Amino acid sequence: MKLDSLREDFAGEIVLPDDPGYDQARAVWNGMADRRPALVVRPTDPDDVIAAIRFARERDLLIAVRCGGHSIPGLSTCDDGIVIDLSQIRGAEVNPEQRTAHVRGGSLLADLDAAAQRFGLVCPVGVVSHTGVGGLTLGGGMGRLMRRFGLTLDNVLAVELVTADGRTVRASEDENPELFWGMRGAGPNFGIVTSFDFRLHPLDHPITFGTVEHPVERARELAALWRDLAENGSDELFLSFGLANDADEGAVAYVTALHSGTPERAENDLAELRAFGPPTADSIMVRPYLETQHLNDDPHGWGHRFYMKSAFLPSLPDEAVDICVEHTVHAPEAGEIGFSTWAWGRKISEVPEDGTAFTGREAAAWIAAEAMWDDPALDEACRAWGRGALADLEPFSSEGRYVNDVAEVGSDVARAIYGDAKYDRLLALKREWDPDNVFQLNQNIRP
């Protein structure tokens, strides 16, 4: 492949299959996505992104866009195409007076978290610090502060992106507002984001975080307590109910809590959870917020094989808990396998359902069957387990799916994610901004 035209306009790094760093450059977070692109480019600014898109289009190369590389179905890489790796377009700058952050498109959550916390501020983001800001935000942005401050995309003030025809465009409530609507929930369909502007919120004190575990036989009782606390507790309280099949302890039920208020308020609001016992484990304690943001980094490190399937729920009845227990107890013997159920509502549901392309705001909870393992021989068993679990939970689910969790691809899948009305609106946007479907490695809105 001749690269002369690209080298003339491109100031960043170009990695080819014969180069020493190729295997590292092509690797992504999910070990199941073992692909071999024709080249990987690392732009340094929007002009480099424009040059890379132009080069790819001239040669009809499939384009994959990589920020943090955490795409569950491996959409941040490809075979035989070009990977535009944004890792050199990285960094976050905070304006503490305006409580805003300007974040470059290749930044990780750790960059945004650290920059904001230097001023006692925070943006609600995800729970693994090496996740890319771009992918997380454009699909939604679930995290432990979402009931108090909203999803990550609810805190986006503006985005700057490079479009399929090589233009640099800004989208906000005032500039290209319809595109801004679509970017928040289906953004990878419309361009490559080179920067975000975020709203920040005060959080200048330690928080309270940890998990209580109980034998799986108490799952129904623990889920009932989780429901009560989620419904009646403070906006400062995040709660996740889960089940896990531990190789040493067997199946367990647990609740993970983060209280973002003062330690005194947290002690009061978490008293009933901690008195439910005796627990087999209790790690709840006062910690710096940044510490909690790194606790999942090693358990969710790069290179493991991963599959998940999720749904939104209007409630979590006992019958659904029983289904989760049954699937947990009889799960394949993999590295980590189980269910997570996160309480929704509060600030998330205050945004009108049609306010962004994101679908699922009216849910009471999000539930996921998750499996992480290392042996390729377990691939089909783990995928089948996740599919079977969510099939059994489907009667309890509500409209929409969280796009960042969806491991399948296809136009029918995209329509199921967004619903008919939003899908048709997104289709009109796609035809306006990317009629040739240059950006198709996503939950694709096919023009």
Side-chain angles (χ1 to χ4, degrees):
M1 181 183 298
K2 293 184 178 180
L3 300 177
D4 293 349
S5 63
L6 178 60
R7 295 188 193 279
E8 288 177 5
D9 301 323
F10 189 82
E13 184 180 2
I14 301 172
V15 184
L16 300 173
D18 291 335
D19 292 340
Y22 176 73
D23 282 337
Q24 181 180 1
R26 72 182 181 89
V28 291
W29 175 79
N30 190 346
M32 296 180 72
D34 185 15
R35 314 258 164 76
R36 300 189 66 84
L39 72 164
V40 178
V41 298
R42 295 182 174 128
T44 60
D45 58 23
D47 288 340
D48 278 353
V49 175
I50 292 170
I53 293 173
R54 182 185 304 120
F55 177 82
R57 296 203 65 178
E58 288 171 352
R59 286 153 184 81
D60 198 27
L61 290 174
L62 184 64
I63 295 175
V65 183
R66 171 177 158 182
C67 181
H70 274 235
S71 167
I72 291 169
L75 297 174
S76 46
T77 185
C78 61
D79 284 320
D80 302 322
I82 182 173
V83 173
I84 301 178
D85 177 354
L86 302 176
S87 58
Q88 300 303 307
I89 305 178
R90 184 174 170 183
E93 300 173 358
V94 170
N95 184 321
E97 288 77 27
Q98 295 185 6
R99 293 180 180 170
T100 60
H102 181 75
V103 181
R104 303 184 82 199
S107 301
L108 305 182
L109 302 190
D111 301 318
L112 174 53
D113 282 336
Q117 278 288 278
R118 279 196 288 272
F119 299 97
L121 299 170
V122 71
C123 183
V125 293
V127 300
V128 178
S129 78
H130 46 77
T131 304
V133 170
L136 177 92
T137 301
L138 297 177
M142 289 174 50
R144 301 184 186 113
L145 298 176
M146 62 185 182
R147 277 164 52 97
R148 183 176 179 185
F149 299 130
L151 300 170
T152 309
L153 63 76
D154 295 331
N155 291 274
V156 176
L157 300 172
V159 297
E160 291 187 358
L161 64 149
V162 176
T163 59
D165 56 2
R167 287 181 291 155
T168 300
V169 171
R170 183 175 173 87
S172 68
E173 294 287 1
D174 299 321
E175 300 174 76
N176 299 300
E178 183 68 4
L179 176 61
F180 186 54
W181 175 86
M183 293 298 296
R184 291 171 295 161
N189 274 278
F190 306 114
I192 299 177
V193 175
T194 55
S195 70
F196 295 86
D197 290 332
F198 287 103
R199 179 188 303 109
L200 303 179
H201 306 270
L203 187 63
D204 59 358
H205 54 77
I207 55 83
T208 303
F209 175 79
T211 299
V212 293
E213 288 185 5
H214 292 271
V216 73
E217 291 78 13
R218 303 200 68 190
R220 269 198 179 204
E221 299 170 77
L222 191 60
L225 176 57
W226 172 82
R227 287 193 296 264
D228 180 64
L229 292 174
E231 182 175 350
N232 300 309
S234 164
D235 290 355
E236 298 171 326
L237 182 58
F238 162 85
L239 291 162
S240 169
F241 167 75
L243 295 155
N245 198 331
D246 187 278
D248 298 322
E249 301 179 20
V252 298
Y254 66 86
V255 169
T256 296
L258 183 145
H259 197 292
S260 57
T262 64
E264 293 76 20
R265 290 202 299 273
E267 183 177 5
N268 179 70
D269 291 349
L270 292 170
E272 189 175 2
L273 175 64
R274 305 194 75 179
F276 180 90
T280 55
D282 182 344
S283 64
I284 294 176
M285 60 187 294
V286 177
R287 315 167 189 256
Y289 173 72
L290 282 182
E291 177 185 312
T292 70
Q293 287 295 91
H294 289 272
L295 292 176
N296 281 336
D297 289 357
D298 289 340
H300 289 81
W302 277 51
H304 300 294
R305 308 174 83 79
F306 185 80
Y307 180 83
M308 71 182 299
K309 198 170 178 70
S310 69
F312 293 118
L313 304 176
S315 63
L316 181 67
D318 288 341
E319 294 82 0
V321 175
D322 292 343
I323 289 171
C324 294
V325 169
E326 182 70 14
H327 280 279
T328 301
V329 170
H330 294 100
E333 293 185 6
E336 295 181 22
I337 199 160
F339 292 86
S340 295
T341 311
W342 290 20
W344 273 54
R346 307 303 171 88
K347 199 69 175 181
I348 302 167
S349 59
E350 290 180 12
V351 177
E353 179 59 43
D354 61 357
T356 66
F358 182 90
T359 300
R361 293 185 181 276
E362 297 176 359
W366 163 92
I367 190 168
E370 302 173 310
M372 180 177 287
W373 68 100
D374 293 321
D375 184 355
L378 291 172
D379 286 0
E380 186 50 41
C382 289
R383 286 193 297 247
W385 175 84
R387 290 191 292 263
L390 264 294
D392 287 346
L393 288 169
E394 185 175 359
F396 304 95
S397 65
S398 54
E399 183 183 21
R401 294 180 65 187
Y402 181 41
V403 64
N404 286 348
D405 293 342
V406 180
E408 310 86 2
V409 294
S411 58
D412 291 344
V413 175
R415 188 174 285 276
I417 290 169
Y418 299 108
D420 289 339
K422 285 189 179 181
Y423 184 88
D424 291 343
R425 188 173 171 183
L426 289 166
L427 182 59
L429 269 175
K430 184 72 170 180
R431 288 170 175 168
E432 177 181 358
W433 291 97
D434 185 17
D436 297 323
N437 207 16
V438 172
F439 304 114
Q440 60 184 264
L441 286 183
N442 44 55
Q443 293 301 337
N444 194 227
I445 310 296
R446 189 177 299 276

